[in-house]
């Protein structure tokens, strides 16, 4: 038997409290049993999103939340400004194009974050841009974009809304939907929220709802106005993923007991320890600036394939981390510290990396990175 450790940037481990709750018999989504369950999830999500706005719950993966945010707030021909700094930025472009939006990209080299001035420049040049699309944490490169600054810019433009894919950032990063003026904020269940895949969450500002009124793009399953109406009665438009929503309440309960600030601080600390430990091993970050608190992207040492590090971690030691995506495939590997993550997840990951590298013939003094992480994580 090989004991397994899940240290990927989604899916992430699910705490036993949520697993147990999800083992209970199914309840009916239109019965009075379920209404308080959804009511509680709805309120918990507003707490997490730091918002008074509606936070819709959709049965889909995170990408469904992205797709719905394109076909519900925009129309064919609308101009979209996409910040493309990695694999998930590229996904925004693909979705917008699939719905016949006219896409302009701010293309960023992988490993770097967008300069908010570039967003300002693009909007000044073309105020008819309807939507700015960005990731909070670009999971493929381990970069965090400055959402606060970008929101401050977009909110000055009456005809433009900001759509943020925060699927891998929520819970790890402070994202103040109302205070900063984020219009659409998208989350997913299998990342910071410590649940199985299957739920997308979409926070929607009043400004964004006015865009929904004008949208002519086709909508049926992802119909946010219909979802909003149902949500008022603690229902979803179609059959609710009752099991996942029961689990969601358990995850939210754990996070509420910890407190939002503490959750952010925990992720920051784990991310910092991971980066410093890896540097102590003589490895370089793939992320050149503004590192995300959810995932650390690391360059494979010269002559070693990043996918082989990922594979050896999994096959030899039972650690499922992540390799590279797109143009970074083979060049990097990634370690997540997201959601149900603590001190010994980092220690495990670093110890595993040391053992894998040594096993692959790379000169490593065992314990070097682990010692650095231990120092930084002593309480
Ligand atoms: C995981 C992730 C998604 C969504 O992926 P799904 O497989 O659809 O859940 C989108 N954006 C980012 C930044 C992600 O990390």
């Amino acid at each position: 038997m090989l004991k397994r450790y899940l240290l990927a940037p989604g899916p992430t481990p699910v705490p036993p409290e949520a697993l147990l709750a999800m083992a209970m018999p199914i309840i009916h989504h239109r019965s009075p049993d379920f209404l308080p369950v959804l009511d509680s999830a709805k309120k918990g999500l507003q707490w997490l999103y730091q918002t008074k706005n509606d936070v819709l719950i959709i049965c889909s993966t995170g990408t469904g939340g992205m797709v719905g945010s394109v076909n519900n707030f925009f129309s064919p021909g609308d101009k979209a400004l996409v910040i493309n700094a990695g694999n998930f930025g590229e996904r925004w472009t693909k979705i917008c194009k699939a719905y016949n939006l006219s896409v302009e990209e701010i293309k960023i080299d992988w490993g770097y974050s967008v300069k908010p001035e570039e967003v300002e420049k693009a909007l000044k040049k073309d105020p008819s841009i309807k939507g700015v699309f960005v990731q909070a944490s670009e999971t493929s490169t381990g970069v965090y974009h400055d959402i606060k600054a970008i929101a401050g810019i977009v909110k000055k433009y009456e005809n433009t809304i900001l759509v943020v894919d925060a699927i891998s950032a929520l819970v790890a990063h402070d994202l103040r939907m109302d205070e900063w003026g984020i219009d659409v904020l998208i989350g997913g269940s299998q990342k910071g929220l410590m649940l199985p895949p299957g739920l997308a969450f979409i926070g929607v500002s009043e400004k964004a709802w006015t865009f929904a009124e004008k949208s002519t793009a086709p909508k049926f399953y992802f119909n946010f106005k219909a979802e909003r109406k149902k949500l008022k009665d603690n229902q979803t438009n179609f059959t609710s993923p009752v099991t996942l929503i029961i689990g969601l309440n358990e995850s939210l309960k754990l996070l509420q007991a910890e407190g939002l600030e503490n959750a952010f601080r925990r992720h920051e600390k784990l991310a910092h320890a991971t980066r410093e430990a890896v540097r102590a091993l003589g490895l370089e970050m793939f992320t050149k600036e503004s590192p995300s608190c959810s995932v650390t992207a690391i360059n494979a040492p010269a002559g070693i394939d990043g996918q082989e590090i990922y594979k050896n971690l999994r096959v030899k030691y039972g650690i499922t981390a992540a390799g590279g995506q797109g143009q970074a495939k083979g060049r990097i590997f990634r370690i997540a510290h997201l959601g149900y993550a603590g001190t010994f997840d980092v220690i495990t990951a670093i110890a595993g990396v040391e053992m894998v590298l040594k096993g692959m013939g790379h000169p490593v003094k065992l314990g070097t990175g682990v010692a650095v992480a231990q120092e930084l994580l002593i309480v």
Side-chain angles (χ1 to χ4, degrees), residues 220-237:
F220 188 82
Y221 184 73
F222 297 122
N223 183 336
F224 288 0
K225 273 166 67 183
E227 292 294 346
R228 183 190 204 190
K229 211 164 145 217
K230 281 288 188 183
L231 193 66
K232 291 200 194 313
D233 299 326
N234 292 323
Q235 306 252 323
T236 57
N237 201 19

Side-chain angles (χ1 to χ4, degrees), residues 9-11 60-66 88-89 91-92 135-140 165-169 186 188-191 197-199 325 334 338:
S60 77
T61 68
T63 305
M66 296 170 76
F88 292 99
R91 187 169 297 180
W92 270 138
Q135 272 59 45
S137 166
E138 172 52 75
T139 318
S140 64
D165 162 7
I167 294 166
S168 70
I186 305 158
S189 52
Q190 82 275 23
K191 311 262 167 122
L199 295 178
Q325 295 177 303
R334 294 172 297 151
L338 177 57

Side-chain angles (χ1 to χ4, degrees), residues 81 83 106 108 113-123 145-154:
L81 178 68
I83 289 145
I106 297 180
I108 313 281
S113 73
V114 68
K115 296 198 175 33
E117 308 90 79
E118 289 198 50
V119 177
E120 176 120 64
K121 211 167 76 190
L123 287 176
H145 292 301
D146 188 349
I147 300 302
K148 184 183 180 183
I150 297 169
I153 292 161
V154 176

Side-chain angles (χ1 to χ4, degrees), residues 138-215:
E138 172 52 75
T139 318
S140 64
T141 64
V143 163
Y144 178 80
H145 292 301
D146 188 349
I147 300 302
K148 184 183 180 183
I150 297 169
I153 292 161
V154 176
K155 93 177 156 193
K156 292 187 286 188
Y157 291 81
E158 235 168 86
N159 291 316
T160 315
I161 55 171
L162 174 63
V163 184
V164 179
D165 162 7
I167 294 166
S168 70
L170 274 166
V171 178
H173 282 273
D174 192 3
L175 291 161
R176 305 183 184 185
M177 185 169 192
D178 291 0
E179 189 185 320
W180 297 354
I182 300 167
D183 294 298
V184 180
L185 187 59
I186 305 158
S189 52
Q190 82 275 23
K191 311 262 167 122
L193 275 155
M194 316 181 274
L195 292 167
L199 295 178
F201 314 110
I202 306 104
V204 184
S205 73
E206 283 307 323
K207 186 178 174 190
W209 283 122
T210 67
F211 278 52
E213 289 303 323
K214 294 181 202 130
S215 161

